[in-house]
Amino acid sequence: MYQPPSLLEKWSQENNELVNKCKQQEAGGGAVSRDHRQSSLRWCSSEFHKLLRKIQGIPPHVDHSQLELAVVYNTCVCFTAQSQFSEAELLLKEATERVLQVTGNNADTSDPLVLWRAGLKSAGNTALHPHVLYLLCLQWALWLAKCQLENIGELQEQMSSLCEIVCDGVGDCSPSEAKGRLSKSPLLVMEPKRLTELLQICTSIAQGAEKLNEGRSSEALSDLQAASALPATRALVAYTHLLSGSCLAHMNRPQMALQCYKRALETDSRCVCALYRSMLIYRQLGNTQAEIQALRLLHSTLMLPPATEPVLGGIQPLSPSLLLSSQSLSRLLSVPSALSVLYSLALKCVLSGRVTEGVEHYLDLLAALHSEDQHAVDAEVSVLPRMLELYLEAGTALLFTRRPADCMAFCNEVISTTLELVPEKVVLEEPEEGIGGDARGLSVEGEDKVAMLLWAAAAYLLQGHCHTHLKDWKQAVTHYTRCINLLVKVHLKNRDFQPQIPAADVNVKHGKDLCTLQRMKGLSLAWRGISFTQMDQLREALRDLQLSLQAFPDYTGAGLWCGEVLWRLGRKHEAAACWEKTWSLTTQTSVEKLPLYLQDPQSGPLLDSVELRLRIQELGLT
């Protein structure tokens, strides 16, 4: 039934007024809170939906179909911006079916791809064609937001045609022109041209991430390099450079990858992922100083207040973050938390010899963890070592900077927290074959108790090192003994041999704990032996050093001091043999694979290998 023009004008005017209100509410940009923006979108979508139902209350007719499709477009933009994808897709399906009815075709399929092909074909050269293309833009956006890239690929030909037509300006007009052609060109909440440009680059980024995830790095690189020339915000162009760098990194071209990450940062200085990926490349290349510099910049950038998302064309109800939500892309764009980066920076500084700088970072990290903003801290703390372990690492760094009193203060905190929780007996089983060295134990509670025991023992070990640094040998022996007394509570259980062990408080399987236990036992015995040596208690020293080598055969410090004690006891040939055997050891554990507090103290009595070799020469053995 033909409707009077006045009714169409009334609906058009209502649509245009709603569009203007939506744009006014969006114009606040970053000043508008997220909650206010969502509230505004809910109101807009509700009002557009009411208007649409009024228009659809009459049979479809060519005279008002352009207005109807424009209102469908506006309603779907608001629904999509609120992630109400099902509601938006239902409206698009109904709109396409009504286009087919208007053009005298049947909609006898539920397949959206078939339906869209039919709708585009039926609209053909009619006045409805541009409006159907605008709706296809929204369907494209929905598929992209739902990571249904295969559907976009199925309509690749239609999408390419859409981009050419919409981006050439069909349907775009100034507000004055729109006002003059009110009944024919109702206002839209988002320019189709801007939406199409956004969809083009976001699709290239999402497809590039998927291809990279599938191992098609070369193909992804070519597409991403082409996408970098598309019109888009600096942040999105930076993403294309970033993913290009990731492709090159996967293709084992680290230097070229670094150049892409540099371009990403030059394009958008807030592209923190480019900084993170650069740091990983420097780590891979063994460039420690560049890695530390990248970590420092990354931490500084993460501490800046979050930037508001850039706005395209002044109004952008649909944001890039809504369209770029695939898991593949999220993994590529993921960046550790600021606290995690600060921890990596502290540890790397200490391990690379920049210990004073590392200490400051450890202290900053602990201050942040104890800050009043506990809610923000709790969200990040799960990726960090446990607090007591951080105390031990910070204490070790302090000891390395010749601050034994501060180190002992941290150790006292660990001991006071853990000592009452240490079990009387622990059975530590070797991990079964096929299970990794960090295989989890029988219970979280059991593992926690084992961790408490090892941390308390490590605290006593560090305090022993502090007294060694102060040359207080008696106190050093006392604290090393306390460490050993805790470690002997742990009984080792071999899979093939069942020893008669009294009932234990805790029974766990944990290969990593076993390595920690053996190294700590070797260190504590060796340094107690060294302390005995300084007190001229040579027999006790020899006993401890030999036991140390049984627990930790590759510890060169114990081997050299064992030879020294044998020499002082007059067993010079045995001493020479012990030194030669120690120097022949080639197995060395990387310091980065060890907990910081299980590394050799950088103070205490040392032996000069050159002087020891001279002794062997004088003995006439070389």
Side-chain angles (χ1 to χ4, degrees), residues 369-428:
L369 291 170
H370 287 293
S371 70
E372 294 180 2
D373 190 11
Q374 204 59 43
H375 178 73
V377 168
D378 290 342
E380 300 185 11
V381 77
S382 60
V383 299
L384 294 169
R386 303 276 284 276
M387 181 67 80
L388 296 180
E389 198 165 2
L390 288 175
Y391 277 13
L392 291 171
E393 291 189 16
T396 304
L398 286 163
L399 178 59
F400 288 170
T401 57
R402 307 295 191 266
R403 293 166 63 180
D406 293 329
C407 174
M408 284 194 277
F410 274 109
C411 292
N412 284 332
E413 183 68 27
V414 174
I415 292 166
S416 64
T417 304
T418 59
L419 209 52
E420 292 183 0
L421 302 174
V422 171
E424 284 302 314
K425 294 185 182 67
V426 176
V427 175
L428 201 61

Side-chain angles (χ1 to χ4, degrees), residues 71 294 324 358 409 420 424 427 452 474 536 572 579:
V71 177
L324 297 173
E420 292 183 0
E424 284 302 314
V427 175
M452 293 293 176
K474 187 174 180 180
D536 288 326
K572 296 185 177 182
W579 289 331

Side-chain angles (χ1 to χ4, degrees), residues 331-571:
R331 283 194 294 268
L332 289 168
L333 298 180
S334 64
V335 175
S337 67
L339 289 183
S340 181
V341 171
L342 182 57
Y343 170 70
S344 297
L345 178 59
L347 183 59
K348 179 60 70 172
C349 284
V350 174
L351 291 175
S352 62
R354 298 165 66 163
V355 185
T356 302
E357 186 179 342
V359 165
E360 294 306 315
H361 293 315
Y362 268 115
L363 296 179
D364 289 342
L365 174 62
L366 291 171
L369 291 170
H370 287 293
S371 70
E372 294 180 2
D373 190 11
Q374 204 59 43
H375 178 73
V377 168
D378 290 342
E380 300 185 11
V381 77
S382 60
V383 299
L384 294 169
R386 303 276 284 276
M387 181 67 80
L388 296 180
E389 198 165 2
L390 288 175
Y391 277 13
L392 291 171
E393 291 189 16
T396 304
L398 286 163
L399 178 59
F400 288 170
T401 57
R402 307 295 191 266
R403 293 166 63 180
D406 293 329
C407 174
M408 284 194 277
F410 274 109
C411 292
N412 284 332
E413 183 68 27
V414 174
I415 292 166
S416 64
T417 304
T418 59
L419 209 52
E420 292 183 0
L421 302 174
V422 171
E424 284 302 314
K425 294 185 182 67
V426 176
V427 175
L428 201 61
E429 297 184 26
E430 290 183 345
E432 296 178 11
E433 292 182 9
I435 300 179
D438 60 346
R440 290 287 114 187
L442 300 181
S443 71
V444 174
E445 181 184 0
E447 290 178 12
D448 280 347
K449 287 187 175 181
V450 172
M452 293 293 176
L453 186 150
L454 294 175
W455 290 337
Y460 281 131
L461 176 67
L462 284 179
Q463 287 189 329
H465 292 336
C466 289
H467 289 294
T468 298
H469 173 76
L470 297 170
K471 298 184 179 179
D472 187 345
W473 309 114
K474 187 174 180 180
Q475 280 296 318
V477 167
T478 299
H479 285 83
Y480 290 132
T481 302
R482 289 174 180 170
C483 173
I484 294 164
N485 288 342
L486 284 176
L487 297 177
V488 296
K489 291 184 178 185
V490 182
H491 299 268
L492 301 182
K493 181 179 178 182
N494 192 292
R495 294 191 311 274
D496 303 320
F497 176 69
Q498 304 297 325
Q500 297 299 315
I501 299 175
D505 294 344
V506 181
N507 185 301
V508 294
K509 299 176 182 178
H510 209 326
K512 183 179 179 182
D513 285 344
L514 180 60
C515 294
T516 300
L517 173 73
Q518 294 296 89
R519 183 173 180 89
M520 201 184 305
K521 191 178 290 185
L523 284 171
S524 56
L525 284 165
W527 281 93
R528 189 173 72 170
I530 294 169
S531 300
F532 276 135
T533 304
Q534 303 306 306
M535 298 162 66
D536 288 326
Q537 295 178 241
L538 299 182
R539 296 194 181 279
E540 291 83 353
L542 182 60
R543 175 202 63 204
D544 281 353
L545 289 163
Q546 288 175 334
L547 289 171
S548 170
L549 289 170
Q550 290 178 21
F552 184 18
D554 297 332
Y555 185 29
T556 55
L560 294 178
W561 275 102
C562 187
E564 174 66 17
V565 173
L566 288 168
W567 186 276
R568 294 189 191 183
L569 288 171
R571 297 158 64 176

Side-chain angles (χ1 to χ4, degrees), residues 106-160:
N106 294 322
D108 55 355
T109 179
S110 60
D111 186 335
L113 295 172
V114 176
L115 192 62
W116 275 110
R117 289 191 180 100
L120 289 166
K121 184 177 180 180
S122 66
N125 297 320
T126 70
L128 299 180
H129 189 237
H131 295 280
V132 174
L133 289 178
Y134 300 162
L135 295 187
L136 181 58
C137 282
L138 283 173
Q139 181 64 76
W140 181 359
L142 287 167
W143 282 336
L144 185 56
K146 294 168 68 177
C147 307
Q148 295 176 348
L149 299 180
E150 63 280 0
N151 287 344
I152 297 174
E154 287 290 330
L155 291 181
Q156 189 67 49
E157 183 180 340
Q158 289 83 351
M159 299 298 186
S160 299

Side-chain angles (χ1 to χ4, degrees), residues 177-219:
E177 290 173 328
K179 186 175 180 180
R181 301 187 304 174
L182 187 63
S183 61
K184 294 182 179 180
S185 301
L187 295 181
L188 303 175
V189 294
M190 186 173 187
E191 275 189 80
K193 179 179 179 180
R194 297 299 184 194
L195 176 57
T196 304
E197 290 174 347
L198 177 63
L199 290 171
Q200 278 184 288
I201 193 161
C202 286
T203 301
S204 295
I205 290 169
Q207 289 176 336
E210 288 299 320
K211 290 175 182 177
L212 180 56
N213 188 53
E214 294 167 3
R216 297 153 60 193
S217 302
S218 180
E219 185 181 345

